[in-house]
Amino acid sequence: MFLPWAGAVSVQENRVYRFADCELDPHERRLLAHGHAVTLTPKVFDTLVLLVMRAGHAVSKDELMAALWPRGFVHESNLTKHIWTIRRALGDHGGESRYIETLPKLGYRFIAQVSSVAAPSLIIEDATAALASLPSDRSNHDTVPNLCASNDAAAVAAVSVTTFVDESPSTMPVEASSASTDPHRRRGDRWRPLLVAGLIAIAVVIAGAIAYRFFASSNAMLAMRAAKLDPGAVAIADFSNLSRNDKDAWLGPALAEMLATEIAVGGKLHAVSDELVRPARADLPAPAAGGYAPASLATLQRRLGAHYVLSGAYLVSGANDAPQLRVDLAVQDTRSGAAVATLSRSGAVADLPRLVAQAGATLRHGFGEQTVVPEELLRVANAQPPSAEVARHIGFALDALHTYDPARARDELLQAIAQAPGYAPAYMYLAQAWSSLGYRAKALAASKQALTNAQGLPQEQYLQIEAQQFDLQADHAQAIDTWQKLVALRPQNPEYRFQLIDAQIDAGKPDDAEVSLNALRKLFGDAGDPRIEFAAARIAATRDNNPAYIEYARLALQQAQARGETGLIANAELQLGIALPQQVQAEPLLRKAATDFRRGGNPHGEARAWQNLGNLQFANNQIAPARETYQRAMTIYQGIGDLGGEAAIYDELARMLWAAGDRDGAEAATRQSLRIARETGDLVRQGWNLTALGIQMSDETASDAIASMYRQAIALDERAGSVSHRVFALAAYADLLRERGELDRANEVCTQARSSARALNDPGQSAGVDVICAEIALDRGEVDAAVTSMTALATTATTAKDTFSAANAQMIIGQIALGRQQWTRARDALQQSLAGWTATQEPAGEAVTSGLLALCYAALGDTAARDRAVAQARELRSRVNERAEVLPLDIALAELQGMTGPPDAAITALQALADDADKRQWIGMALEARLAALRLQERGGDPAVAKAARVALTASARKLGYGWVLQRLVAAR
């Protein structure tokens, strides 16, 4: 990044700054703190440089904001977060800062003593003379051996459209990570653990699902192309900026993009994704004149499988008002290591499109491409930036996207669009930037603009933009169709095949994805491409086949290690760490993944690794470490401006706080996530957050406000096309209506949820809905239907080893048997249920089932078993925070108290529970408490009082349609 205050520092004399036990090298962008290398995100690093360079002087917030975000679009809180991150990185953990002083209402001052020394210069003093050593002359003459027969004519310029931009985990479908509580765990599917929401998040991280995937797999799915040589693949590896001037840094990514499009004309060649090339070359020495050394070239072939590598250098010289540009390129054959083509172009920077067009035509001629028809050349020209200034903004934007700075990319792209409002690729890249920042609605709007202006582009680029549009809209059917068209257009390009597999998985079609994966395997044979194994793992994950997933992930890690590329290894470590069941195995892998992502300069990957480690720690009840780990991930997401990632961490914190009994904290975290979702226009996350808030708040009351939240969530899901979460929200709404006594309406809503769940073909989700619908049917008096439904679910769940659903079903069967006074049957069902809850470590389920078993043992006369069950229930009750979850237990324990001792106190307690439930609008639970009190009254209380209570309870149950209460009233006479 160009630093406005760096003008005093000579380009030839780089300065290294030292303070305390730290060393800061702005030129190499390196920070050593207390003997350890510290990785900071680009904006945070620039903030530190600006403060250190002005050490001892006040720097206002306005100055910092203007320097770091010259085009605005950010809030001052971003700067505050940067300062906090810097303090943490330097070792300040609270108390008075040793490095940065806050100046209230003004800004900041770097207060540590700073010294600077000249760093060894790596700048070529006479870059023009150095260029003379390149194997080409000073003219626009090209030395390109004719690799194949060709008669390619001169071509007009074109711009590349094959960049691959990292997809943020924050844009994962928020079904993944924004459900801080699960509506299926309310009565019916009562005690689904809060952890389920986190496990869903982990599963989607495993699957690599994202809000949209454009052009290539993200760094979350980074893997090098197979070792088998791809004859059409060209890896555009590196362009050295010989002037070392930051203001010219845009030319590297711009040249790569433009040349990638040039060589793709005709369909014989395709550029390997930059997202794949950058990490593959990251640990290699920079290429010299004429290309890479043989050893480096062999490494690139092993990692990428590309036939050719294109590298080069450029030099900008002359007056600032009319700068001149020289570009030198070298093409090498990765099989032999030979430089098969070298060429040079010189001219004004303003003539960049012409220079690239000439270079592209020469390269195509050398690669043996046939003559390109004029119509196609015209379409390629439409893909080109209309001016060098627009190309400059695009180049800086691509550099920002490559270095995980989507906010800077957005600013550059808005400038490009302001200068060229009809330039479709700028909107396409802007959609990527908005999505990486978490702004789903703005990403979709930019994508629509790209598609509107894409009519004159080459067919391949038009289809890419169309696929981006469908992915953002979550229109899986259309996305699949478009990716299939791209596969047909470029059958040898594996990128489109990977995208097709992802789209098929997202559409819930793992069998189709398997077919596409097999076709991909046939294309490359037994080549050992880790991406293929990642795709296989994701298919296994959608089928809930964790053992198969683990095996695929292990194989991917082995293949990644064989290639020796940090980004690929880090991704494999992340995927395997997520899947492994034991913390002792998983935690080291996740920590290693975070370290490797940081080494590779991938903050998104690092944040995901910490986030999943936090999930693991929370799952193992390590609350304090989990909180610290989540905060670490949050800091990274905030540093790179990823609001979606930030919201995801709030979701995780809400889930953890709720489980820890901190209701206020959980609600506050969920509201923060909802605020971000509304700011970014993320309809899916809004639906999740509203549902989560409804669940949290319904533990206090089943109010009209909560019912409204659920209706809003369902409407948002319909608008966003989020079918899965719509089922989720419908089930939660149906359960709330049941609590409120609106049984007919609850039945209608649950019928909708059941129909939608069946269409999804998701057994787990169907099971949750079936439980809620069965409880509604039971309350309405449709007892036999409820028994039939739960018996079938218990059988299916047991076969599928779904212990949670089986335990839930058996508990309801046991409750019904209790109500019908079928004591032996009730005992057997409840014992099976208790074993299931114990196996799944569900204390609420264990507690309530133990209480029901105690009632059963009391009726059977087994006093010892009754007392053991009561003791167990009371101990478990002390560990459960949710009021609504354990209200059935409180009723059972109160009734047991009245059965074994004087009934008056127990009757009073039950009436108090009923009155409290009425206030909270838990109508069904109020009736259950009054029915239990009536049973005690009729056993030994005042007959007149009991008779009046029976009449009143009968009238209420009949009016509200609680047929199950009425049936038990009749049986109790």
Side-chain angles (χ1 to χ4, degrees):
M1 172 183 177
F2 172 67
L3 300 176
W5 297 336
V9 181
S10 168
V11 172
Q12 282 74 32
E13 185 178 353
N14 303 315
R15 309 298 297 179
V16 173
Y17 298 89
R18 293 171 180 166
F19 48 92
D21 191 21
C22 303
E23 182 175 288
L24 177 68
D25 187 340
H27 183 75
E28 294 296 327
R29 299 189 72 79
R30 180 175 59 238
L31 171 63
L32 297 176
H34 316 298
H36 299 284
V38 177
T39 300
L40 299 176
T41 57
K43 289 287 187 186
V44 176
F45 188 93
D46 291 340
T47 305
L48 175 60
V49 172
L50 293 173
L51 290 171
V52 169
M53 293 176 70
R54 294 277 297 273
H57 299 280
V59 183
S60 71
K61 292 181 181 179
D62 289 343
E63 288 178 278
L64 288 166
M65 295 286 288
L68 294 166
W69 297 282
R71 295 177 180 86
F73 304 106
V74 297
H75 190 270
E76 184 179 295
S77 61
N78 287 273
L79 179 59
T80 304
K81 295 170 187 174
H82 288 0
I83 298 297
W84 183 89
T85 303
I86 292 170
R87 285 170 170 162
R88 295 277 293 185
L90 297 179
D92 277 343
H93 298 285
E96 185 175 352
S97 175
R98 295 172 292 165
Y99 301 96
I100 300 174
E101 176 187 10
T102 299
L103 306 176
K105 298 183 180 181
L106 175 60
Y108 304 91
R109 179 188 291 115
F110 197 84
I111 55 177
Q113 186 68 34
V114 175
S115 63
S116 67
V117 296
S121 176
L122 298 177
I123 303 298
I124 299 174
E125 294 298 330
D126 187 349
T128 304
L131 277 172
S133 65
L134 295 176
S136 59
D137 63 24
R138 291 287 184 181
S139 68
N140 286 339
H141 174 71
D142 309 302
T143 305
V144 185
N146 190 356
L147 307 180
C148 305
S150 169
N151 59 353
D152 186 17
V156 300
V159 80
S160 166
V161 294
T162 56
T163 188
F164 299 84
V165 178
D166 177 62
E167 302 131 355
S168 166
S170 63
T171 60
M172 292 184 299
V174 276
E175 289 126 334
S177 57
S178 61
S180 53
T181 50
D182 183 341
H184 290 169
R185 68 183 296 274
R186 302 290 296 139
R187 276 163 312 283
D189 194 355
R190 276 193 184 88
W191 297 281
R192 178 174 299 275
L194 288 169
L195 179 59
V196 166
L199 293 178
I200 295 171
I202 293 172
V204 177
V205 175
I206 290 173
I210 50 174
Y212 75 94
R213 301 171 312 282
F214 189 56
F215 292 175
S217 302
S218 70
N219 269 346
M221 290 293 294
L222 267 183
M224 298 304 102
R225 194 177 307 280
K228 177 181 177 181
L229 197 66
D230 181 349
V234 181
I236 303 178
D238 210 353
F239 290 96
S240 299
N241 178 3
L242 295 180
S243 69
R244 293 293 183 93
N245 196 327
D246 286 346
K247 70 181 180 63
D248 301 321
W250 64 274
L251 274 161
L255 283 168
E257 289 298 288
M258 297 168 78
L259 288 170
T261 293
E262 287 288 346
I263 63 175
V265 175
K268 181 179 179 181
L269 304 171
H270 60 268
V272 180
S273 158
D274 180 80
E275 283 298 304
L276 302 178
V277 175
R278 272 188 300 109
R281 65 171 172 78
D283 59 346
L284 301 178
Y292 280 95
S296 295
L297 201 63
T299 299
L300 288 173
Q301 181 187 353
R302 184 178 74 251
R303 291 175 175 176
L304 297 170
H307 191 166
Y308 303 105
V309 171
L310 169 62
S311 61
Y314 63 90
L315 176 68
V316 178
S317 59
N320 289 335
D321 58 346
Q324 297 297 301
L325 170 67
R326 178 179 174 111
V327 178
D328 293 87
L329 305 176
V331 179
Q332 296 170 277
D333 189 321
T334 60
R335 297 168 301 180
S336 64
V340 298
T342 59
L343 59 138
S344 297
R345 291 293 176 208
S346 297
V349 170
D351 282 342
L352 177 65
R354 179 184 61 81
L355 296 176
V356 173
Q358 292 174 351
T362 303
L363 288 173
R364 288 196 303 275
H365 180 81
F367 284 123
E369 287 286 353
Q370 300 301 312
T371 302
V372 182
V373 297
E375 290 81 2
E376 182 64 16
L377 291 176
L378 180 60
R379 289 183 177 276
V380 172
N382 290 336
Q384 173 129 354
S387 69
E389 180 62 14
V390 172
R392 184 176 73 85
H393 289 299
I394 296 295
F396 274 132
L398 292 172
D399 176 69
L401 289 170
H402 295 162
T403 55
Y404 308 96
D405 191 353
R408 179 164 62 94
R410 172 204 57 198
D411 296 351
E412 293 290 348
L413 291 164
L414 290 172
Q415 290 292 318
I417 289 169
Q419 295 181 28
Y423 182 48
Y427 290 105
M428 174 188 69
Y429 298 132
L430 181 60
Q432 297 173 26
W434 280 127
S435 185
S436 293
L437 289 166
Y439 287 86
R440 295 168 67 93
K442 291 184 178 181
L444 182 57
S447 180
K448 288 180 178 178
Q449 285 296 320
L451 194 58
T452 298
N453 291 284
Q455 296 299 324
L457 297 180
Q459 182 186 13
E460 183 175 9
Q461 187 175 3
Y462 180 86
L463 289 173
Q464 291 168 339
I465 292 174
E466 190 175 59
Q468 180 193 50
Q469 175 76 56
F470 293 136
D471 278 342
L472 278 168
Q473 291 176 325
D475 189 338
H476 303 308
Q478 293 281 17
I480 289 171
D481 181 66
T482 305
W483 291 119
Q484 286 174 332
K485 290 177 182 177
L486 282 162
V487 168
L489 184 67
R490 304 285 195 190
Q492 297 300 312
N493 189 340
E495 306 301 336
Y496 299 139
R497 294 179 182 269
F498 283 119
Q499 297 291 357
L500 173 60
I501 291 168
D502 283 346
Q504 289 167 330
I505 293 173
D506 290 345
K509 298 182 177 181
D511 293 341
D512 292 349
E514 188 80 48
V515 171
S516 298
L517 180 61
N518 290 337
L520 183 61
R521 288 189 187 276
K522 290 180 181 179
L523 180 67
F524 285 100
D526 186 18
D529 185 348
R531 271 191 304 180
I532 293 177
E533 306 314 322
F534 282 138
R538 190 175 177 207
I539 293 171
T542 63
R543 292 169 171 164
D544 294 324
N545 188 347
N546 197 56
Y549 174 83
I550 291 174
E551 288 307 308
Y552 287 125
R554 286 190 193 279
L555 180 56
L557 179 56
Q558 292 169 5
Q559 294 172 348
Q561 290 169 336
R563 282 159 173 74
E565 190 275 303
T566 302
L568 172 59
I569 293 171
N571 182 60
E573 291 164 341
L574 173 63
Q575 305 307 321
L576 188 55
I578 289 169
L580 287 173
Q582 299 297 325
Q583 183 177 11
V584 68
Q585 298 173 316
E587 183 165 347
L589 276 170
L590 292 172
R591 290 187 180 279
K592 181 68 162 51
T595 299
D596 286 342
F597 277 127
R598 184 167 63 252
R599 284 173 53 202
N602 182 348
H604 277 294
E606 183 185 356
R608 277 197 310 279
W610 292 125
Q611 183 176 350
N612 280 283
L613 178 57
N615 291 339
L616 179 66
Q617 292 167 330
F618 167 51
N620 287 279
N621 202 34
Q622 297 174 314
I623 302 302
R627 188 190 297 266
E628 179 68 22
T629 304
Y630 283 143
Q631 185 58 58
R632 194 167 188 172
M634 173 81 82
T635 300
I636 296 173
Y637 284 136
Q638 291 173 334
I640 58 180
D642 183 353
L643 287 174
E646 186 178 342
I649 297 299
Y650 278 124
D651 294 331
E652 305 290 9
L653 288 169
R655 187 170 56 90
M656 183 178 71
L657 292 168
W658 178 264
D662 185 351
R663 300 163 185 271
D664 292 339
E667 183 176 335
T670 303
R671 289 188 183 280
Q672 283 284 68
S673 182
L674 179 60
R675 174 189 61 78
I676 293 173
R678 284 171 170 164
E679 177 184 346
T680 59
D682 189 338
L683 300 183
V684 179
R685 189 179 292 277
Q686 289 179 52
W688 271 106
N689 291 148
L690 285 168
T691 305
L693 273 176
I695 293 167
Q696 293 164 358
M697 295 171 65
S698 65
D699 196 53
E700 292 287 339
T701 175
S703 66
D704 293 345
I706 297 170
S708 176
M709 282 183 181
Y710 286 139
R711 288 193 294 270
Q712 290 178 56
I714 293 165
L716 287 166
D717 290 335
E718 290 173 349
R719 286 174 57 194
S722 180
V723 180
S724 178
H725 186 258
R726 181 174 175 274
V727 173
F728 200 66
L730 283 168
Y733 184 36
D735 197 39
L736 184 82
L737 291 169
R738 186 182 74 84
E739 290 177 332
R740 289 163 56 88
E742 301 176 36
L743 297 182
D744 290 341
R745 178 61 181 146
N747 188 55
E748 294 173 5
V749 174
C750 208
T751 300
Q752 293 180 48
R754 175 178 277 163
S755 176
S756 298
R758 296 288 187 270
L760 284 175
N761 194 29
D762 182 343
Q765 195 154 28
S766 293
V769 175
D770 285 345
V771 170
I772 292 175
C773 290
E775 289 224 332
I776 294 170
L778 177 61
D779 283 343
R780 284 160 52 92
E782 300 164 5
V783 185
D784 291 339
V787 171
T788 300
S789 174
M790 290 299 93
T791 301
L793 175 58
T795 301
T796 303
T798 300
T799 301
K801 298 182 179 180
D802 180 359
T803 307
F804 178 87
S805 296
N808 228 339
Q810 291 289 359
M811 187 189 65
I812 295 173
I813 292 170
Q815 286 177 305
I816 294 171
L818 271 177
R820 288 178 164 178
Q821 301 180 13
Q822 299 168 342
W823 311 120
T824 302
R825 183 178 181 184
R827 178 197 62 196
D828 293 345
L830 291 170
Q831 285 176 343
Q832 291 182 58
S833 177
L834 181 61
W837 295 131
T838 302
T840 54
Q841 299 182 12
E842 288 298 320
E846 289 184 77
V848 175
T849 305
S850 295
L852 297 176
L853 265 173
L855 286 172
C856 185
Y857 291 137
L860 290 169
D862 190 341
T863 304
R866 178 202 67 195
D867 292 344
R868 287 195 301 270
V870 169
Q872 182 179 13
R874 291 189 185 281
E875 190 280 325
L876 289 164
R877 174 67 177 85
S878 67
R879 293 193 264 143
V880 180
N881 297 304
E882 296 93 334
R883 295 182 180 88
E885 297 293 349
V886 293
L887 185 51
L889 172 60
D890 292 339
I891 294 172
L893 290 176
E895 186 173 3
L896 280 164
Q897 178 186 349
M899 292 169 63
T900 58
D904 291 346
I907 291 170
T908 300
L910 286 166
Q911 290 172 339
L913 287 173
D915 291 342
D916 184 66
D918 275 331
K919 292 176 183 178
R920 298 177 188 277
Q921 295 182 259
W922 297 340
I923 306 302
M925 284 293 98
L927 293 177
E928 292 292 333
R930 290 194 169 92
L931 179 59
L934 176 62
R935 285 193 290 261
L936 293 179
Q937 288 169 332
E938 292 184 336
R939 285 175 59 131
D942 187 328
V945 173
K947 182 178 180 179
R950 173 176 283 275
V951 170
L953 182 57
T954 301
S956 296
R958 183 173 289 115
K959 178 181 178 181
L960 294 167
Y962 276 85
W964 178 228
V965 172
L966 290 171
Q967 290 179 33
R968 284 177 289 166
L969 280 169
V970 172
R973 282 186 179 277

